[in-house]
Amino acid sequence: MNTHIITEALIQGLQVSKIFKTDTTETLLITLEKDKLFPKHTSPKEAMLVVLEGSINFYIEGKTIELNQNNTYSFQKNVEHHVVANENSKFLIIR
């Protein structure tokens, strides 16, 4: 199973939309409702997460990182991670 292919999804408070794509980069917009989970997955490329609205907990490598509006976080490819929203949130994944 390929755990890093997410192109578009709407599942129980989680919406993922690909908003930009070229041969070398793509940008995903993720909307996550309060207390909802973006399940464990990996990224096929190095990525940067940018919180546009709200607050999330980003779980990676045994750490919990709270990210709020305008916060960014970069992470390596193929590292399992997941997200829980502390409040209704929107964030970008640029990879």
Coordinates of all heavy atoms in Angstrom, one line a residue:
M1 N 0.8 -1.2 0.0 CA 0.0 0.0 0.0 C 0.9 1.2 0.0 O 1.8 1.4 0.8 CB -0.9 0.0 1.2 CG -1.8 1.2 1.3 SD -2.9 0.9 2.7 CE -2.7 2.5 3.5
N2 N 0.6 2.2 -0.8 CA 1.3 3.4 -0.9 C 0.7 4.4 0.0 O -0.4 4.9 -0.3 CB 1.3 3.9 -2.4 CG 2.4 5.0 -2.6 OD1 2.8 5.6 -1.6 ND2 2.8 5.1 -3.8
T3 N 1.3 4.8 1.1 CA 0.7 5.6 2.2 C 0.8 7.1 1.9 O 0.4 7.9 2.8 CB 1.2 5.2 3.6 OG1 2.6 5.5 3.6 CG2 0.9 3.8 3.9
H4 N 1.5 7.5 0.8 CA 1.7 8.9 0.7 C 0.9 9.5 -0.5 O 1.2 10.7 -0.9 CB 3.2 9.3 0.6 CG 3.9 8.6 -0.5 ND1 4.7 7.6 -0.3 CD2 3.9 8.9 -1.8 CE1 5.2 7.2 -1.5 NE2 4.8 8.0 -2.4
I5 N 0.1 8.8 -1.1 CA -0.7 9.3 -2.3 C -2.0 9.8 -1.8 O -2.9 9.0 -1.5 CB -0.8 8.3 -3.4 CG1 0.6 8.0 -3.9 CG2 -1.7 8.9 -4.5 CD1 0.6 7.3 -5.2
I6 N -2.1 11.1 -1.6 CA -3.4 11.8 -1.3 C -3.6 12.9 -2.3 O -2.8 13.8 -2.3 CB -3.4 12.3 0.1 CG1 -3.2 11.2 1.1 CG2 -4.7 13.1 0.4 CD1 -3.1 11.6 2.6
T7 N -4.6 12.8 -3.1 CA -4.8 13.8 -4.1 C -6.0 14.7 -3.8 O -6.0 15.9 -3.8 CB -5.0 13.3 -5.5 OG1 -6.1 12.3 -5.5 CG2 -3.7 12.7 -6.0
E8 N -7.1 14.0 -3.4 CA -8.3 14.8 -2.9 C -9.1 13.8 -2.1 O -9.3 12.7 -2.4 CB -9.1 15.3 -4.1 CG -10.2 16.2 -3.7 CD -10.4 17.3 -4.6 OE1 -9.6 17.6 -5.5 OE2 -11.5 17.9 -4.5
A9 N -9.5 14.3 -0.9 CA -10.3 13.5 0.0 C -11.3 14.4 0.8 O -10.9 15.5 1.1 CB -9.4 12.7 0.9
L10 N -12.4 13.8 1.2 CA -13.3 14.5 2.1 C -13.8 13.3 3.0 O -14.6 12.5 2.6 CB -14.5 15.2 1.4 CG -15.5 15.8 2.3 CD1 -14.9 16.8 3.3 CD2 -16.6 16.5 1.5
I11 N -13.2 13.3 4.2 CA -13.5 12.2 5.1 C -13.7 12.7 6.5 O -12.8 13.3 7.1 CB -12.4 11.1 5.2 CG1 -12.1 10.7 3.8 CG2 -12.7 10.0 6.1 CD1 -10.8 9.9 3.6
Q12 N -14.9 12.6 7.1 CA -15.2 12.9 8.5 C -14.4 14.1 9.0 O -13.6 14.0 9.9 CB -15.0 11.7 9.3 CG -15.9 10.5 9.0 CD -15.6 9.3 9.9 OE1 -14.7 9.3 10.7 NE2 -16.5 8.3 9.7
G13 N -14.7 15.3 8.5 CA -14.0 16.5 9.0 C -12.7 16.8 8.4 O -12.0 17.7 8.8
L14 N -12.2 16.0 7.5 CA -10.9 16.2 6.8 C -11.2 16.4 5.3 O -11.9 15.6 4.7 CB -10.0 15.0 7.0 CG -8.8 14.9 6.0 CD1 -7.8 16.0 6.3 CD2 -8.2 13.5 6.2
Q15 N -10.7 17.5 4.8 CA -10.8 17.7 3.3 C -9.4 18.1 2.8 O -8.7 18.9 3.4 CB -11.7 18.9 3.0 CG -11.8 19.1 1.5 CD -12.9 20.1 1.2 OE1 -13.6 20.7 2.0 NE2 -13.0 20.4 -0.1
V16 N -8.9 17.4 1.8 CA -7.6 17.6 1.1 C -7.9 17.9 -0.3 O -8.6 17.2 -1.0 CB -6.8 16.3 1.2 CG1 -5.4 16.5 0.5 CG2 -6.6 15.8 2.7
S17 N -7.3 19.0 -0.7 CA -7.4 19.5 -2.1 C -6.1 19.9 -2.7 O -5.3 20.6 -2.1 CB -8.4 20.7 -2.2 OG -9.6 20.4 -1.7
K18 N -5.8 19.3 -3.9 CA -4.5 19.7 -4.6 C -4.8 21.0 -5.3 O -5.7 21.1 -6.1 CB -4.1 18.7 -5.5 CG -2.7 18.9 -6.1 CD -2.3 17.8 -7.1 CE -2.1 16.5 -6.3 NZ -1.5 15.5 -7.2
I19 N -4.1 22.1 -4.9 CA -4.5 23.4 -5.4 C -3.4 23.9 -6.4 O -3.7 24.9 -7.2 CB -4.7 24.5 -4.3 CG1 -3.5 24.7 -3.4 CG2 -5.9 24.1 -3.5 CD1 -3.6 25.8 -2.5
F20 N -2.3 23.2 -6.5 CA -1.2 23.7 -7.4 C -0.3 22.5 -7.7 O 0.0 21.8 -6.7 CB -0.4 24.8 -6.8 CG 0.7 25.3 -7.6 CD1 0.5 26.2 -8.7 CD2 2.0 24.9 -7.4 CE1 1.6 26.6 -9.5 CE2 3.1 25.3 -8.2 CZ 2.9 26.2 -9.2
K21 N 0.1 22.3 -8.9 CA 1.0 21.2 -9.3 C 1.8 21.5 -10.5 O 1.3 22.0 -11.5 CB 0.3 19.9 -9.5 CG 1.2 18.7 -9.8 CD 0.5 17.4 -9.7 CE 1.3 16.2 -10.1 NZ 2.6 16.1 -9.6
T22 N 3.1 21.3 -10.4 CA 4.0 21.3 -11.6 C 4.8 20.0 -11.6 O 4.5 19.1 -10.8 CB 5.0 22.5 -11.5 OG1 6.0 22.2 -10.4 CG2 4.3 23.8 -11.2
D23 N 5.8 19.9 -12.5 CA 6.6 18.7 -12.5 C 7.4 18.5 -11.3 O 7.8 17.4 -11.0 CB 7.5 18.7 -13.8 CG 6.7 18.6 -15.1 OD1 5.6 18.1 -15.0 OD2 7.2 19.0 -16.1
T24 N 7.7 19.6 -10.6 CA 8.6 19.5 -9.4 C 8.0 19.8 -8.1 O 8.6 19.6 -7.0 CB 9.8 20.5 -9.6 OG1 9.3 21.8 -9.8 CG2 10.6 20.1 -10.9
T25 N 6.8 20.4 -8.0 CA 6.3 20.8 -6.7 C 4.7 20.7 -6.8 O 4.1 20.7 -7.9 CB 6.7 22.2 -6.3 OG1 6.3 22.5 -5.0 CG2 6.1 23.3 -7.2
E26 N 4.1 20.6 -5.6 CA 2.7 20.6 -5.5 C 2.3 21.3 -4.1 O 3.1 21.2 -3.2 CB 2.0 19.3 -5.6 CG 2.3 18.3 -4.5 CD 1.7 17.0 -4.7 OE1 0.8 16.8 -5.5 OE2 2.0 16.0 -3.9
T27 N 1.1 21.8 -4.1 CA 0.6 22.4 -2.9 C -0.8 21.8 -2.6 O -1.6 21.8 -3.5 CB 0.5 24.0 -3.0 OG1 1.8 24.5 -3.3 CG2 0.0 24.6 -1.8
L28 N -0.9 21.4 -1.4 CA -2.2 20.8 -0.9 C -2.8 21.7 0.1 O -2.1 22.2 1.0 CB -2.0 19.4 -0.3 CG -1.3 18.4 -1.1 CD1 -1.0 17.1 -0.3 CD2 -2.1 18.0 -2.4
L29 N -4.1 21.9 0.0 CA -4.8 22.7 1.1 C -5.6 21.6 1.9 O -6.4 20.9 1.3 CB -5.8 23.7 0.4 CG -6.7 24.4 1.4 CD1 -6.0 25.2 2.4 CD2 -7.8 25.2 0.7
I30 N -5.3 21.6 3.2 CA -6.0 20.7 4.1 C -6.9 21.5 5.0 O -6.4 22.5 5.7 CB -5.0 19.9 4.9 CG1 -4.2 18.9 4.0 CG2 -5.7 19.0 6.0 CD1 -3.0 19.3 3.5
T31 N -8.1 21.1 5.1 CA -9.1 21.6 6.1 C -9.4 20.5 7.1 O -9.8 19.4 6.7 CB -10.4 22.1 5.4 OG1 -10.0 23.1 4.4 CG2 -11.3 22.7 6.4
L32 N -9.3 20.8 8.4 CA -9.5 19.8 9.4 C -10.3 20.4 10.5 O -9.9 21.4 11.1 CB -8.1 19.4 9.9 CG -8.0 18.1 10.8 CD1 -8.6 16.9 10.0 CD2 -6.6 17.9 11.2
E33 N -11.4 19.8 10.8 CA -12.3 20.2 11.9 C -11.7 19.9 13.2 O -11.0 19.0 13.4 CB -13.7 19.6 11.7 CG -14.4 20.0 10.5 CD -15.8 19.3 10.3 OE1 -16.2 18.6 11.2 OE2 -16.4 19.5 9.2
K34 N -12.2 20.7 14.2 CA -11.7 20.5 15.6 C -11.8 19.1 16.1 O -12.9 18.4 15.8 CB -12.5 21.4 16.5 CG -12.1 21.3 18.0 CD -12.9 22.2 18.9 CE -12.4 22.0 20.3 NZ -13.1 22.9 21.2
D35 N -10.8 18.6 16.7 CA -10.7 17.2 17.2 C -10.6 16.1 16.2 O -10.6 15.0 16.6 CB -11.8 17.0 18.3 CG -11.7 17.9 19.4 OD1 -10.6 18.3 19.9 OD2 -12.8 18.3 19.9
K36 N -10.6 16.5 14.9 CA -10.5 15.5 13.9 C -9.0 15.1 13.6 O -8.1 15.9 13.8 CB -11.2 15.9 12.6 CG -12.7 16.2 12.8 CD -13.4 14.9 13.2 CE -14.9 15.2 13.3 NZ -15.6 14.0 13.7
L37 N -8.9 13.9 13.0 CA -7.5 13.4 12.7 C -7.3 13.3 11.2 O -8.1 12.9 10.5 CB -7.5 11.9 13.3 CG -6.3 11.0 12.9 CD1 -5.1 11.5 13.6 CD2 -6.6 9.6 13.3
F38 N -6.1 13.8 10.9 CA -5.5 13.5 9.6 C -4.6 12.3 9.8 O -3.6 12.4 10.5 CB -4.7 14.7 9.1 CG -4.2 14.6 7.6 CD1 -4.1 15.7 6.9 CD2 -3.9 13.4 7.0 CE1 -3.7 15.7 5.5 CE2 -3.5 13.3 5.7 CZ -3.4 14.5 5.0
P39 N -5.0 11.1 9.4 CA -4.4 9.8 9.8 C -2.9 9.7 9.4 O -2.4 10.5 8.6 CB -5.1 8.7 9.1 CG -6.3 9.4 8.5 CD -6.1 10.9 8.4
K40 N -2.2 8.8 10.0 CA -0.8 8.6 9.8 C -0.5 8.3 8.3 O -1.3 7.6 7.6 CB -0.3 7.3 10.6 CG -0.2 7.6 12.0 CD 0.4 6.4 12.8 CE 0.4 6.6 14.3 NZ 0.9 5.4 15.0
H41 N 0.5 9.0 7.8 CA 0.9 8.9 6.4 C 2.4 9.4 6.3 O 3.0 9.8 7.3 CB 0.0 9.6 5.5 CG 0.0 11.1 5.8 ND1 -0.7 11.7 6.9 CD2 0.6 12.2 5.2 CE1 -0.5 13.0 6.9 NE2 0.3 13.3 5.9
T42 N 2.9 9.3 5.1 CA 4.2 9.9 4.8 C 4.1 10.8 3.6 O 3.1 10.7 2.9 CB 5.3 8.7 4.5 OG1 4.9 8.0 3.3 CG2 5.4 7.8 5.7
S43 N 5.2 11.6 3.4 CA 5.2 12.5 2.2 C 6.3 11.9 1.3 O 7.4 11.5 1.8 CB 5.6 13.9 2.7 OG 5.8 14.7 1.5
P44 N 6.0 11.9 0.0 CA 7.0 11.4 -1.0 C 8.2 12.3 -1.2 O 9.2 12.0 -1.8 CB 6.2 11.2 -2.2 CG 5.1 12.2 -2.1 CD 4.8 12.3 -0.7
K45 N 8.1 13.6 -0.7 CA 9.1 14.6 -0.8 C 9.3 15.4 0.5 O 8.4 15.4 1.3 CB 8.7 15.6 -1.9 CG 8.5 15.1 -3.3 CD 8.1 16.2 -4.2 CE 7.9 15.7 -5.6 NZ 7.5 16.8 -6.5
E46 N 10.4 16.1 0.6 CA 10.5 17.0 1.7 C 9.4 18.0 1.6 O 8.9 18.3 0.5 CB 11.9 17.8 1.6 CG 13.1 16.9 1.9 CD 14.4 17.7 1.9 OE1 14.4 18.9 2.0 OE2 15.4 17.0 1.8
A47 N 8.9 18.4 2.8 CA 7.7 19.3 2.7 C 7.7 20.3 3.8 O 8.4 20.2 4.8 CB 6.4 18.4 2.9
M48 N 6.9 21.4 3.5 CA 6.7 22.4 4.5 C 5.2 22.6 4.8 O 4.4 22.6 3.8 CB 7.3 23.8 4.0 CG 7.1 24.9 5.0 SD 7.9 26.4 4.7 CE 7.2 26.9 3.1
L49 N 4.9 22.6 6.0 CA 3.5 22.8 6.5 C 3.4 24.3 6.9 O 4.2 24.8 7.6 CB 3.2 21.9 7.6 CG 1.8 21.8 8.2 CD1 1.6 20.5 8.9 CD2 1.5 22.9 9.2
V50 N 2.3 24.9 6.4 CA 2.0 26.3 6.8 C 0.6 26.4 7.3 O -0.4 26.1 6.6 CB 2.2 27.3 5.5 CG1 1.9 28.7 5.9 CG2 3.5 27.1 4.9
V51 N 0.4 26.8 8.5 CA -0.9 27.0 9.1 C -1.5 28.3 8.7 O -0.9 29.4 9.0 CB -0.9 26.8 10.7 CG1 -2.3 27.0 11.2 CG2 -0.3 25.5 11.1
L52 N -2.6 28.2 8.0 CA -3.3 29.4 7.6 C -4.3 29.9 8.6 O -4.5 31.1 8.8 CB -4.1 29.2 6.3 CG -3.2 28.7 5.1 CD1 -4.1 28.4 3.9 CD2 -2.2 29.8 4.8
E53 N -5.0 29.0 9.2 CA -6.1 29.3 10.2 C -6.1 28.2 11.3 O -5.8 27.1 11.0 CB -7.5 29.3 9.6 CG -7.7 30.4 8.6 CD -9.1 30.3 7.9 OE1 -10.0 29.5 8.5 OE2 -9.3 30.9 6.9
G54 N -6.3 28.6 12.5 CA -6.5 27.6 13.6 C -5.3 27.2 14.3 O -4.3 27.9 14.3
S55 N -5.4 26.0 14.9 CA -4.3 25.4 15.7 C -4.3 23.9 15.5 O -5.4 23.3 15.6 CB -4.5 25.8 17.1 OG -3.5 25.1 17.9
I56 N -3.1 23.3 15.3 CA -3.0 21.8 15.1 C -1.9 21.3 16.0 O -1.0 22.0 16.4 CB -2.8 21.4 13.6 CG1 -1.5 22.0 13.1 CG2 -4.0 21.8 12.8 CD1 -1.0 21.5 11.8
N57 N -2.0 20.0 16.3 CA -0.9 19.3 16.9 C -0.4 18.4 15.7 O -1.1 17.6 15.1 CB -1.3 18.4 18.0 CG -1.5 19.2 19.3 OD1 -0.9 20.3 19.4 ND2 -2.2 18.7 20.3
F58 N 0.9 18.5 15.5 CA 1.6 17.7 14.4 C 2.5 16.7 15.1 O 3.3 17.1 15.9 CB 2.5 18.7 13.6 CG 3.1 18.1 12.4 CD1 2.4 17.7 11.3 CD2 4.5 17.8 12.4 CE1 3.0 17.2 10.2 CE2 5.1 17.3 11.3 CZ 4.4 16.9 10.2
Y59 N 2.2 15.4 14.9 CA 2.9 14.3 15.5 C 3.9 13.7 14.6 O 3.5 13.2 13.5 CB 1.9 13.3 16.0 CG 0.9 13.8 17.0 CD1 -0.3 14.4 16.6 CD2 1.2 13.7 18.4 CE1 -1.2 14.9 17.5 CE2 0.3 14.2 19.3 CZ -0.9 14.8 18.9 OH -1.8 15.2 19.8
I60 N 5.2 13.8 14.9 CA 6.3 13.3 14.1 C 7.5 12.8 14.9 O 7.8 13.5 15.9 CB 6.7 14.3 13.0 CG1 7.6 13.7 12.0 CG2 7.3 15.5 13.7 CD1 7.8 14.6 10.7
E61 N 8.0 11.7 14.6 CA 9.2 11.1 15.3 C 9.1 11.2 16.8 O 10.0 11.6 17.5 CB 10.4 11.9 14.8 CG 10.7 11.7 13.3 CD 11.9 12.3 12.8 OE1 12.2 13.5 13.2 OE2 12.7 11.6 12.1
G62 N 7.9 10.8 17.4 CA 7.8 10.8 18.8 C 7.6 12.1 19.5 O 7.5 12.2 20.7
K63 N 7.4 13.2 18.7 CA 7.2 14.5 19.2 C 5.9 15.1 18.8 O 5.3 14.7 17.8 CB 8.3 15.5 18.6 CG 9.7 15.2 19.0 CD 10.7 16.2 18.4 CE 10.9 15.9 16.9 NZ 11.9 16.7 16.3
T64 N 5.3 15.9 19.7 CA 4.1 16.6 19.4 C 4.5 18.1 19.3 O 5.0 18.7 20.2 CB 3.1 16.5 20.6 OG1 2.8 15.1 20.8 CG2 1.8 17.2 20.3
I65 N 4.2 18.7 18.1 CA 4.5 20.1 17.8 C 3.2 20.8 17.6 O 2.4 20.5 16.7 CB 5.4 20.2 16.6 CG1 6.7 19.4 16.9 CG2 5.7 21.6 16.3 CD1 7.3 18.8 15.7
E66 N 2.9 21.8 18.5 CA 1.7 22.6 18.4 C 2.0 23.7 17.4 O 3.0 24.5 17.6 CB 1.3 23.2 19.7 CG 0.0 24.0 19.5 CD -0.6 24.5 20.8 OE1 -0.1 24.2 21.9 OE2 -1.5 25.4 20.8
L67 N 1.2 23.9 16.4 CA 1.4 24.9 15.3 C 0.1 25.7 15.3 O -1.0 25.2 15.2 CB 1.7 24.2 14.0 CG 3.0 23.4 13.9 CD1 3.0 22.6 12.6 CD2 4.2 24.3 14.0
N68 N 0.3 27.0 15.3 CA -0.8 28.0 15.2 C -0.8 28.8 14.0 O 0.2 28.7 13.2 CB -0.8 28.9 16.5 CG -0.9 28.0 17.7 OD1 -1.9 27.4 18.0 ND2 0.1 28.0 18.6
Q69 N -1.8 29.6 13.8 CA -1.9 30.5 12.6 C -0.5 31.1 12.3 O 0.1 31.7 13.2 CB -2.9 31.5 12.7 CG -3.2 32.3 11.5 CD -4.4 33.3 11.7 OE1 -5.0 33.3 12.7 NE2 -4.6 34.0 10.6
N70 N -0.1 31.1 11.0 CA 1.1 31.6 10.5 C 2.4 30.9 10.9 O 3.5 31.3 10.5 CB 1.3 33.1 10.9 CG 0.2 34.0 10.3 OD1 -0.3 33.7 9.2 ND2 -0.3 34.9 11.1
N71 N 2.3 29.8 11.6 CA 3.5 29.0 12.0 C 3.8 28.1 10.8 O 2.9 27.7 10.0 CB 3.2 28.1 13.2 CG 3.2 28.8 14.5 OD1 2.7 28.3 15.4 ND2 3.7 30.0 14.6
T72 N 5.1 27.7 10.6 CA 5.5 26.8 9.6 C 6.3 25.7 10.2 O 6.9 25.9 11.3 CB 6.4 27.5 8.5 OG1 7.5 28.0 9.1 CG2 5.6 28.6 7.8
Y73 N 6.4 24.6 9.6 CA 7.2 23.4 10.0 C 7.6 22.6 8.8 O 6.8 22.3 8.0 CB 6.4 22.5 11.0 CG 7.3 21.5 11.6 CD1 8.1 21.7 12.7 CD2 7.3 20.2 11.1 CE1 8.9 20.8 13.2 CE2 8.1 19.2 11.6 CZ 8.9 19.5 12.7 OH 9.7 18.5 13.2
S74 N 8.9 22.4 8.7 CA 9.5 21.6 7.6 C 9.8 20.2 8.1 O 10.3 20.0 9.2 CB 10.7 22.3 7.0 OG 10.4 23.5 6.4
F75 N 9.6 19.2 7.2 CA 10.0 17.8 7.6 C 10.4 17.0 6.3 O 10.2 17.4 5.2 CB 8.8 17.1 8.3 CG 7.5 17.2 7.5 CD1 7.1 16.1 6.7 CD2 6.7 18.3 7.5 CE1 5.9 16.1 6.0 CE2 5.5 18.3 6.8 CZ 5.1 17.2 6.1
Q76 N 11.2 16.0 6.6 CA 11.8 15.1 5.6 C 10.8 14.2 5.0 O 9.7 13.9 5.6 CB 12.9 14.3 6.2 CG 14.1 15.2 6.8 CD 14.7 16.0 5.7 OE1 15.1 15.5 4.6 NE2 14.9 17.3 5.9
K77 N 11.1 13.7 3.8 CA 10.2 12.7 3.1 C 10.3 11.4 3.8 O 11.2 11.1 4.6 CB 10.6 12.6 1.7 CG 12.0 11.9 1.5 CD 12.3 11.8 0.0 CE 13.7 11.1 -0.2 NZ 14.0 11.0 -1.6
N78 N 9.2 10.6 3.6 CA 9.1 9.2 4.1 C 9.2 9.1 5.6 O 9.5 8.0 6.1 CB 10.2 8.3 3.5 CG 10.1 8.3 2.0 OD1 9.0 8.2 1.5 ND2 11.2 8.3 1.3
V79 N 8.8 10.1 6.4 CA 8.7 10.1 7.8 C 7.3 10.1 8.2 O 6.5 11.0 7.9 CB 9.5 11.3 8.5 CG1 9.3 11.2 10.0 CG2 10.9 11.3 8.1
E80 N 6.8 9.0 8.9 CA 5.4 8.9 9.3 C 5.0 10.0 10.2 O 5.8 10.4 11.1 CB 5.2 7.6 9.9 CG 3.7 7.2 10.1 CD 3.5 5.8 10.5 OE1 3.6 5.6 11.8 OE2 3.2 5.0 9.7
H81 N 3.9 10.6 10.0 CA 3.3 11.7 10.8 C 1.8 11.7 10.7 O 1.2 11.1 9.8 CB 3.9 13.0 10.4 CG 3.7 13.4 8.9 ND1 4.5 12.9 7.9 CD2 2.7 14.1 8.3 CE1 4.1 13.3 6.8 NE2 3.0 14.1 7.0
H82 N 1.2 12.4 11.6 CA -0.2 12.6 11.6 C -0.6 14.0 12.3 O 0.3 14.6 12.9 CB -1.0 11.5 12.2 CG -0.8 11.3 13.7 ND1 0.3 10.7 14.2 CD2 -1.6 11.6 14.7 CE1 0.2 10.6 15.5 NE2 -1.0 11.2 15.9
V83 N -1.8 14.4 12.1 CA -2.2 15.7 12.6 C -3.6 15.6 13.3 O -4.5 14.9 12.8 CB -2.4 16.7 11.4 CG1 -2.8 18.1 11.9 CG2 -1.0 16.9 10.7
V84 N -3.7 16.3 14.4 CA -5.0 16.5 15.1 C -5.3 18.0 15.2 O -4.4 18.7 15.6 CB -5.1 15.8 16.5 CG1 -6.4 16.1 17.2 CG2 -4.8 14.3 16.3
A85 N -6.5 18.4 14.9 CA -6.9 19.8 15.0 C -7.3 20.2 16.4 O -8.2 19.5 17.0 CB -8.0 20.2 14.0
N86 N -6.7 21.2 17.0 CA -7.1 21.8 18.3 C -8.4 22.6 18.1 O -9.1 22.9 19.1 CB -6.0 22.6 18.9 CG -4.8 21.7 19.1 OD1 -4.9 20.6 19.5 ND2 -3.6 22.3 18.8
E87 N -8.6 23.2 16.9 CA -9.8 24.0 16.6 C -9.9 23.8 15.0 O -9.0 23.3 14.4 CB -9.6 25.4 17.0 CG -8.4 26.1 16.4 CD -8.1 27.5 17.0 OE1 -7.7 27.6 18.2 OE2 -8.4 28.5 16.3
N88 N -11.0 24.3 14.5 CA -11.1 24.2 13.0 C -9.9 24.9 12.4 O -9.6 26.0 12.8 CB -12.4 24.9 12.6 CG -13.7 24.2 13.0 OD1 -13.6 23.0 13.4 ND2 -14.8 24.8 12.9
S89 N -9.3 24.2 11.5 CA -8.0 24.7 10.9 C -7.9 24.4 9.4 O -8.5 23.5 8.9 CB -6.8 23.9 11.6 OG -6.9 24.1 13.0
K90 N -7.0 25.3 8.8 CA -6.6 25.2 7.4 C -5.1 25.3 7.4 O -4.6 26.2 8.0 CB -7.3 26.2 6.6 CG -8.8 26.1 6.4 CD -9.3 27.1 5.5 CE -10.8 27.0 5.3 NZ -11.4 28.0 4.4
F91 N -4.5 24.4 6.6 CA -3.1 24.5 6.4 C -2.7 24.0 5.0 O -3.4 23.3 4.4 CB -2.3 23.8 7.5 CG -2.6 22.3 7.7 CD1 -1.9 21.3 7.1 CD2 -3.7 22.0 8.5 CE1 -2.2 20.0 7.4 CE2 -4.0 20.6 8.7 CZ -3.3 19.6 8.2
L92 N -1.5 24.5 4.6 CA -0.9 24.1 3.3 C 0.2 23.1 3.5 O 0.9 23.2 4.5 CB -0.3 25.3 2.6 CG -1.3 26.4 2.2 CD1 -0.5 27.6 1.6 CD2 -2.3 25.9 1.2
I93 N 0.3 22.2 2.6 CA 1.5 21.3 2.5 C 2.1 21.7 1.2 O 1.5 21.5 0.1 CB 1.2 19.8 2.6 CG1 0.5 19.5 3.9 CG2 2.4 19.0 2.3 CD1 1.4 19.6 5.1
I94 N 3.4 22.2 1.2 CA 4.1 22.5 0.0 C 5.2 21.5 -0.1 O 6.1 21.4 0.8 CB 4.6 24.0 0.1 CG1 3.4 24.9 0.3 CG2 5.4 24.3 -1.2 CD1 3.9 26.3 0.8
R95 N 5.2 20.8 -1.2 CA 6.3 19.8 -1.4 C 6.7 19.6 -2.8 O 6.0 20.0 -3.7 CB 5.8 18.4 -0.8 CG 4.5 17.9 -1.4 CD 4.1 16.6 -0.8 NE 3.0 16.0 -1.5 CZ 2.2 15.1 -1.0 NH1 2.4 14.6 0.2 NH2 1.2 14.6 -1.7

